[in-house]
Amino acid sequence: MKVTALALTATLALSAGLVSAQQKSPPETVSFTEQERAAIIRQGPWPMPWQPDSSNRVSGDAEAARLGFRLFFDDRLSAGAVMSCATCHRPEHGFAENLPVSKGRAPLTRNAPGLNNVRFRRWFGHDGGTDSLWASSIRTFMKKEEFAAGPELVEDLLARDADLSREFQAVFGPDEALRKGETAMVLFAKALAAFQETLVSERTMFDEFRDAIAAGDDKAAALYPDDAARGAKLFFGRGQCHLCHFGPTFSNGEFGDVGISQFLPGGGVDRGRYAGIGMVKTSRFNLLGAFSDDPQHTTAGKTKYLELKPRNWGEFSVPGLRGVSRTAPYMHNGSLSTLHDVVEHYSELDTGRLHADANRILKPLRLTDREAADLVAFLETL
Amino acid sequence: MTRKLNSFCRSARLKFSAPALFAIALIAGALPSAAQDRPLIDSHIHYSHDAWDRLPPPEALKILREAGLQKAFVSSSSDEGTQKLYRLAPDFIVPVLRPYRKRGELSSWIYDESVVGMLESKLAANSYAGIGEFHVFGVDADFPVVRKTVELAHRYGIFLHVHGDTNAIHRLFAQNPEARILWAHSGFTGPLEIRQMLEKYDNLRADLAFRSEFTQSGKVTGAWRQLFLDYPDRFLIGTDTYTPERWYAVADNAAFSRKWLGDLPEPVATRIAHDNAAALVRVAVAGTAAGQDAASDCRAETGGDTLRLLGKHHVLLLSVPPQDVVIGQVFAVDLVVCRADGAPYDGDIAIDADMPAHGHGMNTAASVSKLGPGRFRAEGMMFHMPGVWRYRLHLSGGKASEELDAEMMVQ
């Protein structure tokens, strides 16, 4: 980004009030340090490489994904056929929901996270209570406030719906034992996972910008909108947002307490990651367990060595930010309605409610209105 | 890193002693409940350059594990193949150093004096349980390159995996009666000649890779049966993956081995399936890196992958391949500790890591295992953010307990 003549800037500044929102902003001085450039480059390339999930025998299998697609929209997976996955994970909202918290069968306490790029995650759910995508589907399936279902429902569905049974057998084979009990339930979840793995967001304006920076092509990088470039400067510079929103998905896949209330509407608190670690370590459906299709547990080190620590109390998942403008409202409890509210939250952060020892990264950014708008503009290009 | 053996280690590993082997066998394996579950160690695997693309290391490992193996002896042309697998599964892969840089050197290596330098530098840099599998026949076994190879194996206390005839085996033992030899394919000779060789050389072990004449329809009869019963501590099973295609034979060979072993008395089957190989590894490892005086490592020059930490009472070397330290991925570090006063380190070690600028640590807790005096491996490390990470090491060596730190930038 080059400096333009001061005179021109001054002239435009005088008429700034007349410039419509659609018009390109006046060129600005946005120069990135070497460190910032390196950080921007690490947010790509996109799409990023992906390895099928070794714990899921049908990961990456197109036919299983088709079966999973069908199941994703099928109300009959919930007890009483009252809801499907798509009830809360709505395609038109980036597979999230535009309600603060989901309704479910009983009122829920968390916002339905978007599912785009979910295949790249290390943990699943706001608390990371599951360590595979298929186990995450089982969790929803069995939770009494959500599908309130169990193995019998799957077995019954396969017995009653010949067409579904045929499709199931085409994916998993004809062995009758596979259509029984927990085995059938886990295979449903694995097909659902195979479908969700196909949800990968498109390349965006940010990717063009990042690739131009990586190629050292300043001319191409200059095509990126100036407000977004200024927002990027904040994101990768003073804001240090990229430390957690790290890598091509804009998430390091871990958890943090960023000062959002953990209180539950009906009393009590949401312990977040603290409870999630207990759940994932003890779940029969984790990667160390017998339902994994990878007998060597090659990807289970994360679970095996995971350790519960006091600072996990009230931590929630660091979400990926690709397509974030489509997944309002925000935060684990949907308490912030717009991206502007989120930026405002970080700008005026109450550090008094963060654990002093556990967190030295988060500081109130005290952004000006324009800086806040720039940061939002940046987020909208992701 | 250079590694020198002290005289104690050398004298301790000279001979296979029967009581010691029995003790190891008892530790190493419980009796399997069914033949299908029988633990096996495959003593004859190669992972050479033409297998790497077709079967990337994780897939190759998967094949070995799915065959129900507990360990695999791997030697490769070049050794990089073995290292690729070993880096992924150090507890599973038993590295054996092959004197070949590529396929096709099996008949030319004995004339190539640069092989000796290559072996020396590899042995100095890595841990191996043996040298081989190499091919040598008749008088060629007395060529200088072969003689130096025998000397190197002796110096490091490791075995020789020899594909050769009886003449070559006699010559190798004549060079060094204390040599320990794993005879590949048992020399492709018959039970009578194998018996004579086992009778003559206590330090001879025999692998059965690519052999099947000792069994018919799962039964083991006649002279072979008597041979296995008379020498139950000497035989090992193996596949020999001499071409990439042969990798697909590993599971078949495991099933085949389980079948004929099932026809032998259980204590004999268990030894041939697993214990004899396990004993060979144990003795060998005790003679090399894990059993050595760590002090020589602490004095040696450290390379780019190793941090040297100097404390008041200790020197600590922390090694991790840079490519393993990827944000969000679980990795392991190797640790060598020496006492500043030169005495062996007999304490324990704990490792953690944090980000000083952020005030938080890792989300995992590393698990440390002791490999030998002053030698440890910590698994389960994970850095989940870019920036400066600090390793924090706690040495609990009695009165001289000490904390050591080292920082590294993670991008």
Side-chain angles (χ1 to χ4, degrees):
Chain A
M1 305 276 160
K2 297 284 178 203
V3 187
T4 51
L6 274 177
L8 176 64
T9 312
T11 312
L12 286 167
L14 283 173
S15 55
L18 302 173
V19 177
S20 77
Q22 281 74 33
Q23 246 174 306
K24 195 166 163 39
S25 317
E28 292 279 345
T29 307
V30 184
S31 64
F32 293 95
T33 64
E34 273 313 301
Q35 214 175 352
E36 287 160 356
R37 282 171 175 264
I40 290 168
I41 292 166
R42 284 199 305 260
Q43 306 296 103
W46 194 261
M48 68 188 276
W50 174 73
Q51 289 286 327
D53 173 3
S54 60
S55 73
N56 180 355
R57 68 185 79 179
V58 293
S59 176
D61 179 287
E63 209 163 336
R66 271 193 296 277
L67 172 62
F69 173 77
R70 174 178 175 167
L71 296 175
F72 193 86
F73 294 93
D74 194 336
D75 283 346
R76 296 175 303 164
L77 258 62
S78 61
V82 294
M83 61 192 296
S84 72
C85 306
T87 305
C88 300
H89 296 286
R90 298 170 59 177
E92 66 274 27
H93 293 293
F95 291 89
E97 193 177 24
N98 57 347
L99 291 172
V101 292
S102 298
K103 286 193 174 121
R105 177 179 301 273
L108 299 173
T109 55
R110 293 179 185 162
N111 178 253
L115 296 180
N116 278 326
N117 309 324
V118 72
R119 75 183 189 189
F120 299 112
R121 292 205 68 87
R122 185 178 309 120
W123 308 104
F124 300 84
H126 287 293
D127 57 7
T130 49
D131 59 359
S132 73
L133 194 45
W134 54 269
S136 179
S137 298
I138 293 174
R139 183 180 178 184
T140 298
F141 186 74
M142 298 186 83
K143 194 169 173 185
K144 68 178 191 316
E145 296 87 356
E146 298 186 41
F147 286 17
E152 317 73 40
L153 184 142
V154 174
E155 212 176 298
D156 189 46
L157 203 53
L158 284 169
R160 282 190 293 116
D161 185 336
D163 185 45
L164 179 66
S165 179
R166 250 194 313 279
E167 210 173 320
F168 182 90
Q169 289 179 62
V171 173
F172 294 109
D175 184 353
E176 202 185 335
L178 298 176
R179 301 194 296 279
K180 300 289 176 198
E182 281 188 329
T183 305
M185 179 179 76
V186 170
L187 294 181
F188 258 44
K190 285 178 177 170
L192 276 164
F195 163 62
Q196 292 170 76
E197 285 168 355
T198 66
L199 306 175
V200 178
S201 59
E202 296 296 317
R203 275 177 66 83
T204 64
M205 212 188 288
F206 171 80
D207 295 310
E208 302 301 329
F209 172 63
R210 177 265 171 202
D211 289 356
I213 297 265
D217 185 347
D218 285 352
K219 206 169 152 194
L223 296 173
Y224 195 50
D226 295 310
D227 52 356
R230 290 191 302 267
K233 177 88 183 162
L234 283 164
F235 190 91
F236 295 103
R238 178 156 66 94
Q240 298 195 90
C241 313
H242 69 292
L243 294 178
C244 293
H245 294 287
F246 170 84
T249 65
F250 284 77
S251 169
N252 68 349
E254 291 294 316
F255 304 81
D257 174 4
V258 295
I260 298 295
S261 171
Q262 296 146 22
F263 287 113
L264 295 168
V269 295
D270 188 339
R271 295 179 296 156
R273 182 59 173 156
Y274 197 86
I277 289 177
M279 188 182 300
V280 73
K281 290 284 270 189
T282 56
S283 170
R284 293 169 55 235
F285 300 105
N286 72 18
L287 290 177
L288 295 162
F291 292 99
S292 166
D293 293 327
D294 177 357
Q296 285 80 53
H297 306 301
T298 41
T299 58
K302 63 182 183 186
T303 309
K304 182 177 173 189
Y305 297 109
L306 178 65
E307 185 79 358
L308 186 66
K309 297 183 178 176
R311 71 175 163 79
N312 298 127
W313 185 267
E315 285 187 336
F316 292 93
S317 163
V318 175
L321 298 181
R322 288 185 174 270
V324 69
S325 60
R326 292 198 302 277
T327 59
Y330 302 101
M331 318 317 274
H332 76 274
N333 56 5
S335 58
L336 300 177
S337 306
T338 66
L339 280 179
H340 187 271
D341 293 342
V342 176
V343 168
E344 188 74 9
H345 170 77
Y346 285 107
S347 179
E348 303 306 321
L349 202 66
D350 176 7
T351 50
R353 67 161 314 291
L354 300 176
H355 194 282
D357 286 336
N359 211 326
R360 284 178 222 146
I361 315 169
L362 290 169
K363 296 184 178 69
L365 296 175
R366 308 286 180 221
L367 302 171
T368 65
D369 288 351
R370 193 180 87 155
E371 285 173 330
D374 289 344
L375 208 40
V376 171
F378 166 71
L379 293 170
E380 286 172 345
T381 69
L382 301 180
Chain B
M1 284 187 277
T2 58
R3 293 190 170 128
K4 289 176 189 158
L5 275 174
N6 63 32
S7 56
F8 174 79
C9 284
R10 197 179 289 183
S11 62
R13 61 175 164 70
L14 290 184
K15 242 173 154 35
F16 294 101
S17 86
L21 282 179
F22 270 102
I24 289 160
L26 284 174
I27 297 162
L31 294 180
S33 55
Q36 285 76 9
D37 303 330
R38 184 186 298 289
L40 297 175
I41 297 181
D42 193 311
S43 68
H44 201 132
I45 296 287
H46 306 297
Y47 186 54
S48 296
H49 53 88
D50 45 5
W52 302 346
D53 288 341
R54 191 171 294 266
L55 270 177
E59 287 180 39
L61 266 179
K62 197 169 168 216
I63 286 179
L64 299 177
R65 292 190 196 269
E66 283 183 355
L69 302 181
Q70 293 222 326
K71 283 184 193 299
F73 289 24
V74 181
S75 62
S76 311
S77 320
S78 70
D79 183 57
E80 181 53 25
T82 299
Q83 299 304 324
K84 282 173 191 284
L85 295 182
Y86 182 66
R87 279 195 288 269
L88 277 186
D91 295 336
F92 184 86
I93 298 297
V94 177
V96 178
L97 176 56
R98 202 165 209 203
Y100 309 159
R101 280 157 289 214
K102 59 180 191 301
R103 190 184 301 295
E105 293 185 347
L106 61 91
S107 51
S108 61
W109 77 282
I110 53 170
Y111 309 110
D112 180 357
E113 295 200 350
S114 72
V115 164
V116 177
M118 188 261 283
L119 293 178
E120 282 174 336
S121 64
K122 292 278 184 190
L123 287 164
N126 305 313
S127 290
Y128 298 95
I131 302 178
E133 177 209 9
F134 57 75
H135 299 69
V136 68
F137 300 89
V139 293
D140 290 357
D142 286 329
F143 270 54
V145 172
V146 183
R147 285 182 174 276
K148 284 180 181 155
T149 303
V150 174
E151 282 170 28
L152 278 172
H154 180 72
R155 196 192 311 164
Y156 281 86
I158 58 184
F159 65 81
L160 294 159
H161 194 187
V162 185
H163 182 134
D165 54 7
T166 52
N167 187 346
I169 300 293
H170 287 308
R171 285 168 191 273
L172 296 175
F173 276 123
Q175 289 168 35
N176 185 352
E178 292 168 357
R180 298 186 299 120
I181 295 176
L182 175 58
W183 196 13
H185 316 287
S186 301
F188 284 115
T189 185
L192 230 68
E193 203 164 28
I194 295 174
R195 176 182 289 276
Q196 286 164 4
M197 294 298 277
L198 293 176
E199 177 69 37
K200 189 171 170 68
Y201 302 110
D202 289 347
N203 281 357
L204 185 65
R205 297 289 178 275
D207 94 35
L208 296 166
F210 220 69
R211 301 292 297 266
S212 62
E213 55 270 57
F214 42 80
T215 173
Q216 279 187 324
S217 311
K219 297 286 173 200
V220 184
T221 53
W224 281 104
R225 185 178 186 89
Q226 202 52 51
L227 184 62
F228 294 145
L229 297 180
D230 292 345
Y231 293 94
D233 297 328
R234 303 294 199 91
F235 289 94
L236 288 74
I237 61 143
T239 299
D240 193 0
T241 52
Y242 53 89
T243 62
E245 290 83 345
R246 281 284 294 172
W247 273 83
Y248 297 91
V250 173
D252 291 342
N253 189 61
F256 162 75
S257 302
R258 288 192 175 98
K259 191 170 179 196
W260 69 261
L261 286 167
D263 189 47
L264 293 175
E266 191 54 39
V268 176
T270 306
R271 284 182 226 170
I272 297 174
H274 174 280
D275 298 351
N276 295 341
L280 197 53
V281 180
R282 257 164 214 259
V283 174
V285 171
T288 56
Q292 272 182 55
D293 174 11
S296 61
D297 275 1
C298 292
R299 284 192 297 273
E301 291 291 312
T302 45
D305 302 353
T306 302
L307 295 169
R308 181 197 295 272
L309 282 60
L310 300 175
K312 196 173 165 193
H313 305 293
H314 301 93
V315 178
L316 186 145
L317 305 182
L318 185 153
S319 311
V320 55
Q323 67 271 19
D324 287 4
V325 187
V326 176
I327 292 173
Q329 287 188 17
V330 177
F331 67 96
V333 299
D334 287 309
L335 303 161
V336 176
V337 193
C338 307
R339 274 172 48 164
D341 62 9
Y345 180 75
D346 57 358
D348 286 323
I349 190 165
I351 183 169
D352 198 358
D354 65 358
M355 297 190 85
H358 296 185
H360 64 74
M362 298 189 296
N363 290 336
T364 55
S367 160
V368 178
S369 44
K370 191 168 185 169
L371 304 180
R375 294 178 188 280
F376 304 88
R377 186 172 174 84
E379 297 189 76
M381 307 281 297
M382 187 179 84
F383 296 159
H384 61 274
M385 275 191 192
V388 175
W389 281 86
R390 173 173 61 181
Y391 291 104
R392 312 196 71 175
L393 296 127
H394 180 80
L395 306 174
S396 50
K399 285 178 190 167
S401 288
E402 183 162 36
E403 304 273 354
L404 295 173
D405 292 350
E407 290 189 348
M408 74 178 290
M409 184 68 180
V410 181
Q411 294 284 1

